[in-house]
Amino acid sequence: MSYKFNLRNYVCACLLITLAIVAVFSSYSISKFKKNHDTNVSTLMALNEENYLQHRLIMNATNSFFTASEGVQETEFRIFTQALLGEREAIFFTLTPKLTVAYISNAKVVEHLAELTVSIDKEGMLKGSLPHYQLIGFEIDEPDMPYLFYAIPMKSVLFSLDKFKGSCLKYSSTQLTEENKNCVLEPKNMFFDLFRHETELDISIPSYNFHYLLTIESQVSESRLMEYCFFVLSTLVACGLVSVLLYFRLMNKHFFNRIERENKFNVAMVSSINHEIRTPINALLGYSQMLRDMPKISDEHSVVIDKMLWSANLLYSVAENTLNYSKSATDGLMLNNAPINTLQYFNNIKDYYNKLSIPEGKTLGFHVSDTLPKTISVDSSKLFQVITNMINNALKYSTGQAVSCHVDLCSRRVFNDPTSANRELYLRVLIQDTGLGMSQSTKELLTDPFVFDPESQLKKVSGIGLGLYTCNQLLTQIGGKLRLHSVENEGTKIMLHFPLRCGEYVLSEPLSPRNYADKRILIVDDNSFNLEVCNAMLEDEQFNTVCADNSKDALMRFRDSDPDVVIVDYRLDEMNGIDLIGKMKSIQAETKTQYFILSANDKNEIVDNEHYPDVYFMQKPFNTAIFLSGLEQTG
């Protein structure tokens, strides 16, 4: 994932997400509260409608009673109204033309009428009021008492209103105003007002000139409001903690990506420097070998040339170790296994040291076990690097004279997974010297390449230790193992376990020197030093060589010479070696040419290498022994 980390954008995003969560929850809470309020309003309307119908039926029945009867007696009035009202606490009473009380439905409430006030307004409408009662007055067909009042006790009204918990209900008419006990809940501030709803219902009975107003106010309780505030606060805290954790995670990922980019840049830079260094190293090794092979070289000059060869070899080892150290830091080491002729491969390593001329006074014994299979599949470049690195260290640093190398095959449990019962094959290499042995601080170079070794300083030996460290890291990452055992005054033993594969691999027969002249080789390199050195080294092996220093010339010489082998440098000015090989293959109808890529990079670092399985990849500098092994493999 590629992104540019911006703290301001991150804070804004977290704030917006948090506000969105709070807004959604608040909207849901307010909507739910409004829904509950609407439910209460609907219930109140239904209840009021029921009461309205009951009271209207009662008043209509009483009015019809007077209309249908002549000279209604008080006893008849009481019997009828009590039967009509049943258990209700409402009362009926009639008034004379002088507005005095005549008949009363219940004699027990006579004292309640002491505070009754009755009047007729300018429009001739009957008005009346009685504390704790709602009066509805209307005219009846009875000359001696033309007015009838229906008195509804307010406590029955309030009882109905008190059923609505959490809601304030107000009853208002021209006579009185009443409210239930929940009306003490008043909004304390604007925040409380968010959770408050009010609805007014205007109820009227036109036929009896009566109307009243019902007001329902719903407000959330303080406990519910506290729960809401607690949830919002918890959400803010949770979002804050998640934001902080996410922030640190993003920061870690940002730093990790930056470190990874820097590591890749460092590896690329070291690889580029390594590539540039290999060119003069290759030239130094080649020209030194050419000088050494010249006739009439004096012994004195021969010693100087041997020192040049040895120094160039050590310089190459340092360059290779530096590159592998950078790759091991980013877990970039990979195996590129390919089948090799086992005996021929190790004979080539022995020839490598025979031509190199080991330091004066030192001897190298090289023994290969007869139990090794004829062919094995292994990363020959990395195996060559590890073995020669350890032998070079022994020849350079050991105070003894004899250095020995023993190679055989072993089967054991895999190193990277100690719990696994699976067994794998390993190439086991034992390198031993008879010197004074290693100090404890020198042994620590296996895990720390920058340990300061005062004893090594006294002996004028480098204390960086990249060779030992990188070989250990290389073997660890590819599934192998390096073990070190050193005893004072007895010497040092280094055991290498290198992973390999065994099988029936088809290889060409080993090429003999008399057959090399039949092989036409086209060498393509835009560096004149590399071209000259590689040409001289192959001519020394009796190969028939053709050289080209650019891709255009290479294609022309490829058509003319029809070579058996093509060696191409990966980095050319006009195109890379892979593209050049692709053009050569398109020219050649039948695939009979063997192709080699010479590069400072590993095979897995070369783009589109998987599309060319028949191309053999070699690392710089050009090594005749590795080339001959590859030639046998691809032949």
Side-chain angles (χ1 to χ4, degrees):
M1 176 182 179
S2 177
Y3 65 92
K4 184 176 181 181
F5 184 80
N6 189 301
L7 182 60
R8 181 183 299 175
N9 294 341
Y10 171 78
V11 171
C12 291
C14 292
L15 183 60
L16 288 176
I17 293 174
T18 303
L19 291 178
I21 294 175
V22 173
V24 169
F25 176 74
S26 299
S27 176
Y28 170 76
S29 300
I30 294 174
S31 175
K32 186 177 181 181
F33 178 70
K34 178 65 167 57
K35 184 178 180 180
N36 291 337
H37 171 78
D38 293 341
T39 300
N40 288 341
V41 171
S42 300
T43 304
L44 179 64
M45 290 180 64
L47 181 62
N48 181 78
E49 182 72 19
E50 181 182 357
N51 291 336
Y52 170 82
L53 291 175
Q54 290 180 359
H55 294 315
R56 187 169 183 174
L57 288 173
I58 290 174
M59 289 185 292
N60 288 342
T62 306
N63 192 14
S64 298
F65 171 73
F66 281 101
T67 302
S69 304
E70 294 182 3
V72 176
Q73 301 297 319
E74 183 173 4
T75 303
E76 294 175 342
F77 174 74
R78 288 182 178 178
I79 293 173
F80 177 80
T81 53
Q82 288 179 5
L84 184 63
L85 295 173
E87 296 183 358
R88 293 182 178 85
E89 296 183 4
I91 58 176
F92 278 103
F93 60 89
T94 59
L95 298 180
T96 64
K98 295 183 179 181
L99 303 182
T100 59
V101 177
Y103 293 168
I104 301 176
S105 61
N106 190 350
K108 297 180 180 179
V109 296
V110 174
E111 63 274 10
H112 293 172
L113 299 179
E115 302 179 22
L116 175 66
T117 58
V118 181
S119 64
I120 297 177
D121 59 16
K122 297 178 181 180
E123 297 178 358
M125 302 300 295
L126 181 64
K127 302 292 183 182
S129 64
L130 180 64
H132 308 298
Y133 284 90
Q134 173 65 57
L135 299 182
I136 302 176
F138 51 93
E139 295 181 0
I140 57 176
D141 186 16
E142 191 68 35
D144 295 335
M145 39 184 181
Y147 305 109
L148 175 66
F149 271 102
Y150 178 46
I152 305 171
M154 288 307 302
K155 64 179 182 179
S156 63
V157 175
L158 292 179
F159 175 76
S160 299
L161 297 182
D162 286 339
K163 292 181 179 180
F164 294 88
K165 296 181 180 180
S167 298
C168 169
L169 275 83
K170 296 181 180 179
Y171 178 94
S172 301
S173 68
T174 56
Q175 302 173 23
L176 50 79
T177 300
E178 295 286 347
E179 60 184 24
N180 67 356
K181 58 184 178 181
N182 294 320
C183 292
V184 296
L185 299 175
E186 294 294 336
K188 300 179 181 180
N189 49 45
M190 293 182 62
F191 179 70
F192 277 80
D193 202 33
L194 290 174
F195 297 91
R196 177 176 175 270
H197 292 283
E198 179 178 310
T199 302
E200 291 184 348
L201 301 176
D202 192 356
I203 312 298
S204 63
I205 307 178
S207 58
Y208 293 100
N209 191 31
F210 173 73
H211 74 276
Y212 61 93
L213 189 67
L214 276 179
T215 303
I216 177 170
E217 296 180 6
S218 299
Q219 181 174 305
V220 68
S221 64
E222 290 190 11
S223 61
R224 290 288 186 183
L225 197 58
M226 290 299 293
E227 291 178 3
Y228 168 79
C229 294
F230 176 77
F231 178 84
V232 171
L233 184 61
S234 300
T235 302
L236 292 175
V237 172
C239 289
L241 291 175
V242 171
S243 299
V244 170
L245 293 175
L246 186 59
Y247 168 77
F248 282 111
R249 180 169 182 176
L250 290 176
M251 286 294 293
N252 288 337
K253 187 173 183 179
H254 171 67
F255 288 136
F256 176 79
N257 289 341
R258 188 175 71 179
I259 291 172
E260 188 176 17
R261 288 195 301 269
E262 291 176 355
N263 287 338
K264 289 181 178 179
F265 171 77
N266 291 336
V267 171
M269 182 180 65
V270 172
S271 179
S272 179
I273 295 174
N274 188 273
H275 182 273
E276 298 301 324
I277 290 176
R278 287 172 190 251
T279 298
I281 292 176
N282 195 31
L284 182 58
L285 285 170
Y287 287 132
S288 299
Q289 187 64 43
M290 290 167 63
L291 283 172
R292 188 172 184 271
D293 294 339
M294 284 183 178
K296 299 181 182 180
I297 296 295
S298 64
D299 293 340
E300 183 179 352
H301 289 164
S302 181
V303 171
V304 174
I305 293 172
D306 287 343
K307 289 181 179 180
M308 290 172 57
L309 281 168
W310 185 254
S311 299
N313 176 63
L314 293 180
L315 182 59
Y316 165 73
S317 180
V318 170
E320 188 67 25
N321 289 336
T322 303
L323 179 61
N324 284 332
Y325 171 76
S326 300
K327 291 180 180 178
S328 66
T330 57
D331 295 333
L333 294 172
M334 297 178 62
L335 282 177
N336 298 312
N337 287 342
I340 62 171
N341 186 303
T342 310
L343 185 59
Q344 182 67 32
Y345 179 82
F346 288 109
N347 284 337
N348 290 336
I349 294 179
K350 285 191 287 184
D351 291 341
Y352 169 79
Y353 279 101
N354 291 335
K355 294 179 180 180
L356 192 61
S357 294
I358 61 178
E360 185 179 359
K362 299 292 181 72
T363 60
L364 174 62
F366 208 100
H367 178 263
V368 179
S369 174
D370 296 334
T371 60
L372 285 178
K374 181 180 178 181
T375 59
I376 59 174
S377 179
V378 71
D379 190 326
S380 57
S381 296
K382 289 186 175 62
L383 178 60
F384 181 86
Q385 176 196 342
V386 172
I387 293 177
T388 56
N389 210 318
M390 293 296 98
I391 292 178
N392 290 347
N393 281 350
L395 292 173
K396 179 180 179 181
Y397 300 128
S398 172
T399 55
Q401 295 182 349
V403 175
S404 63
C405 178
H406 179 83
V407 182
D408 64 0
L409 194 68
C410 73
S411 174
R412 56 156 295 128
R413 290 184 179 180
V414 293
F415 289 103
N416 290 348
D417 188 5
T419 60
S420 175
N422 296 332
R423 303 182 71 86
E424 296 286 348
L425 288 175
Y426 293 90
L427 198 64
R428 182 168 55 186
V429 182
L430 175 63
I431 300 170
Q432 183 176 3
D433 65 63
T434 56
L436 296 177
M438 291 184 179
S439 65
Q440 182 59 37
S441 56
T442 303
K443 294 177 183 178
E444 293 177 5
L445 293 173
L446 274 176
T447 55
D448 188 352
F450 303 106
V451 171
F452 177 76
D453 187 354
E455 297 183 19
S456 292
Q457 289 290 345
L458 293 175
K459 298 173 186 175
K460 300 182 180 180
V461 175
S462 172
I464 295 179
L466 278 179
L468 194 61
Y469 174 81
T470 52
C471 286
N472 182 42
Q473 290 294 105
L474 186 151
L475 288 170
T476 300
Q477 290 191 21
I478 65 177
K481 186 72 174 179
L482 187 151
R483 289 194 172 112
L484 186 148
H485 177 73
S486 186
V487 180
E488 187 176 358
N489 298 323
E490 292 184 11
T492 301
K493 294 180 182 179
I494 294 180
M495 179 73 74
L496 309 175
H497 287 81
F498 200 96
L500 58 84
R501 294 290 183 271
C502 288
E504 295 296 329
Y505 302 107
V506 179
L507 300 177
S508 63
E509 292 297 324
L511 296 174
S512 60
R514 64 178 181 272
N515 294 328
Y516 290 171
D518 298 332
K519 290 288 184 179
R520 295 184 303 277
I521 298 182
L522 173 60
I523 309 170
V524 185
D525 199 318
D526 56 4
N527 185 284
S528 59
F529 293 123
N530 288 343
L531 197 60
E532 185 178 355
V533 169
C534 186
N535 180 58
M537 295 174 72
L538 290 173
E539 283 184 344
D540 189 53
E541 297 291 338
Q542 305 302 315
F543 284 100
N544 184 7
T545 61
V546 179
C547 298
D549 59 1
N550 60 76
S551 58
K552 184 177 180 181
D553 189 32
L555 290 173
M556 183 180 66
R557 292 181 180 274
F558 180 80
R559 292 188 184 95
D560 296 339
S561 62
D562 191 20
D564 300 303
V565 179
V566 174
I567 302 175
V568 183
D569 183 32
Y570 178 68
R571 293 189 179 182
L572 299 174
D573 290 338
E574 301 88 352
M575 65 182 70
N576 63 53
I578 288 289
D579 293 337
L580 181 59
I581 290 176
K583 289 192 174 183
M584 289 179 176
K585 286 189 172 186
S586 65
I587 294 173
Q588 191 178 63
E590 298 180 1
T591 305
K592 64 176 183 177
T593 302
Q594 298 171 251
Y595 294 96
F596 289 77
I597 284 286
L598 193 61
S599 173
N601 304 94
D602 281 341
K603 177 181 178 180
N604 59 285
E605 296 173 337
I606 296 178
V607 179
D608 295 333
N609 70 83
E610 65 276 4
H611 297 152
Y612 297 87
D614 55 337
V615 176
Y616 191 89
F617 291 82
M618 295 190 302
Q619 283 192 309
K620 290 185 176 180
F622 180 77
N623 185 292
T624 307
I626 294 179
F627 170 70
L628 293 177
S629 296
L631 193 63
E632 295 166 13
Q633 172 191 332
T634 59

